Amino acid sequence: MRRALELAERGAGRVNPNPLVGAVVVKDGRIVGEGFHERFGGPHAEVLALDAAGEEARGADLYVTLEPCVHWGKTPPCVERIISSGIKRVFVAVRDPNPLVNGKGIATLREAGIAVTEGVLEREARKLNEPFFKFITTKRPFVILKLALSLDGKVATRSGESRWISNERSRELVHQMRNRYAAVLVGVNTILRDDPQLTARAAGARDPWRIVLDSRGRIPLEAKVLSLGSPAPTVVATTELMPQEKERALISKGARVWRLRARDGRVDLEELLVRLGEEGLDSLLVEGGPTVAAGFLEAGLVDKVVFFITPKIIGGEEAPGAVGGRGVEGLAEAWKLKDISVRMLEGDLVYEGYLQGGPWRGGPPGATLR
């Protein structure tokens, strides 16, 4: 099953909003076939593993990271192929929460006389597919708040310099995250200050959708996110405060302009998440500055945080902290994390956790980062 999980990771960024799935066929103590879901609309992991095994699948065991599907989608039901292959036993990491599956695949296999064991490395399998588990049950993207900050909690100096707080290894990981998650979001202040590309500059990576919060239409037409030539779209999420001529200019640059409700003069973030879900985007990496971070936290929309804490001390009362807004009145009101994990990346500390009482109440159990 660990090998199946490793294989599943290879589909990161290419199967959304489908889950990452890996499968391994074992006979007489040796692997005779393996596969993973490689791209959206392509063959499922079980089918590829069984194809690789061929006749050796008869009487063998199948290990799969997610319950095999029992319905027609982009591809035929996997359970039919498993049954016809002659597989004797199936080991499943976790049930598929999709209402079209959710236990039906396992029941069908058992009815066909195949022994099924559930829950093998379930925690790891849930963590692997946490965006899918939320999206398939709520139709809203899984929201990850990512921030890079100094040891004393600053995200920039008093002059506004923020490149680069984190080290090169941490930045490589961020590009891997952009590849994995469906969309990345910043506020217009980040565009004005840093003019980022918001692409996934990693080997073989695909770019995420780029979402810019800009309630008044301040984004420059020369901004890099508007002139990349990337197949992934750039969306400017705005309100009725954006001038019509600016909207037309942005559309002429190839951007998509979404006029959403305003809340306290800013884009209504809940409506934005609904719209992203309607577009089939299962995950959102929030990389904005202190104002954007505060907006998502105060609205109760963050599922997970990933903080890159670098061993630098910036100081200064005017240097911005990681989270802006009003903040909490008392410590009892502070946002609290659960299922926390930490690791070091050449001096930077990567601190990861899930919001207690976050928007996805049925969140995955904690699992140590690998």
Side-chain angles (χ1 to χ4, degrees), residues 185-313:
L185 178 146
V186 299
V188 70
N189 287 334
T190 296
I191 299 295
L192 294 171
R193 183 184 66 245
D194 298 333
D195 195 20
Q197 296 182 46
L198 301 180
T199 52
R201 296 184 292 280
R206 70 98 183 94
D207 290 336
W209 283 44
R210 294 169 294 277
I211 316 297
V212 180
L213 296 177
D214 184 10
S215 59
R216 298 176 181 273
R218 294 190 294 143
I219 184 171
L221 295 178
E222 301 77 24
K224 291 177 181 177
V225 292
L226 300 175
S227 56
L228 288 172
S230 171
T234 293
V235 174
V236 180
T238 189
T239 68
E240 290 302 318
L241 296 175
M242 175 185 281
Q244 293 287 344
E245 58 269 23
K246 187 59 173 285
E247 178 179 359
R248 288 191 291 269
L250 288 170
I251 292 173
S252 70
K253 294 284 290 184
R256 303 184 187 185
V257 178
W258 293 354
R259 286 189 184 268
L260 306 173
R261 287 193 304 264
R263 180 173 292 187
D264 298 327
R266 295 191 172 95
V267 172
D268 187 315
L269 299 178
E270 289 194 43
E271 185 180 3
L272 173 62
L273 292 188
V274 170
R275 182 69 181 271
L276 292 172
E278 291 172 348
E279 293 286 345
L281 302 178
D282 66 350
S283 46
L284 177 66
L285 180 63
V286 177
E287 291 195 31
T291 301
V292 170
F296 274 88
L297 285 167
E298 289 171 357
L301 300 177
V302 177
D303 294 294
K304 179 179 182 178
V305 300
V306 181
F307 281 16
F308 293 83
I309 304 171
T310 187
K312 299 173 185 175
I313 299 174

Side-chain angles (χ1 to χ4, degrees), residues 336-355:
K336 300 177 180 65
L337 302 182
K338 61 181 180 180
D339 299 325
I340 296 163
S341 60
V342 296
R343 58 172 159 165
M344 297 293 295
L345 286 181
E346 298 179 2
D348 282 3
L349 179 70
V350 184
Y351 191 99
E352 177 177 322
Y354 299 83
L355 268 292

Side-chain angles (χ1 to χ4, degrees), residues 49-281:
L50 292 170
D51 283 347
E55 283 301 313
E56 294 225 63
R58 192 160 301 278
D61 296 335
L62 173 67
Y63 293 80
V64 61
T65 59
L66 188 71
E67 177 183 9
C69 64
V70 72
H71 65 292
W72 276 84
K74 297 285 185 181
T75 60
C78 290
V79 291
E80 294 183 4
R81 178 61 193 281
I82 295 170
I83 293 169
S84 65
S85 72
I87 284 287
K88 182 179 180 181
R89 297 187 300 179
V90 175
F91 296 86
V92 176
V94 63
R95 288 197 178 197
D96 188 337
N98 186 339
L100 295 174
V101 186
N102 200 8
K104 298 182 182 71
I106 290 172
T108 302
L109 292 173
R110 285 174 173 160
E111 289 169 4
I114 298 174
V116 180
T117 300
E118 297 184 62
V120 181
L121 299 184
E122 180 177 355
R123 286 162 57 93
E124 290 86 340
R126 283 183 175 270
K127 185 174 179 63
L128 175 72
N129 275 312
E130 54 197 12
F132 171 75
F133 271 69
K134 181 186 179 182
F135 181 75
I136 201 66
T137 54
T138 69
K139 302 305 179 187
R140 291 194 180 193
F142 185 80
V143 177
I144 308 96
L145 174 61
K146 168 257 160 184
L147 289 171
L149 56 151
S150 66
L151 193 61
D152 56 338
K154 306 294 185 179
V155 295
T157 67
R158 69 172 186 268
S159 66
E161 182 182 352
S162 60
R163 291 188 174 182
W164 296 100
I165 287 182
S166 57
N167 63 31
E168 184 176 352
R169 182 68 186 89
S170 292
R171 296 196 297 274
E172 289 175 357
L173 179 55
V174 171
H175 285 290
Q176 294 171 18
M177 293 169 70
R178 290 179 182 175
N179 169 63
R180 180 169 192 143
Y181 299 123
V184 59
L185 178 146
V186 299
V188 70
N189 287 334
T190 296
I191 299 295
L192 294 171
R193 183 184 66 245
D194 298 333
D195 195 20
Q197 296 182 46
L198 301 180
T199 52
R201 296 184 292 280
R206 70 98 183 94
D207 290 336
W209 283 44
R210 294 169 294 277
I211 316 297
V212 180
L213 296 177
D214 184 10
S215 59
R216 298 176 181 273
R218 294 190 294 143
I219 184 171
L221 295 178
E222 301 77 24
K224 291 177 181 177
V225 292
L226 300 175
S227 56
L228 288 172
S230 171
T234 293
V235 174
V236 180
T238 189
T239 68
E240 290 302 318
L241 296 175
M242 175 185 281
Q244 293 287 344
E245 58 269 23
K246 187 59 173 285
E247 178 179 359
R248 288 191 291 269
L250 288 170
I251 292 173
S252 70
K253 294 284 290 184
R256 303 184 187 185
V257 178
W258 293 354
R259 286 189 184 268
L260 306 173
R261 287 193 304 264
R263 180 173 292 187
D264 298 327
R266 295 191 172 95
V267 172
D268 187 315
L269 299 178
E270 289 194 43
E271 185 180 3
L272 173 62
L273 292 188
V274 170
R275 182 69 181 271
L276 292 172
E278 291 172 348
E279 293 286 345
L281 302 178

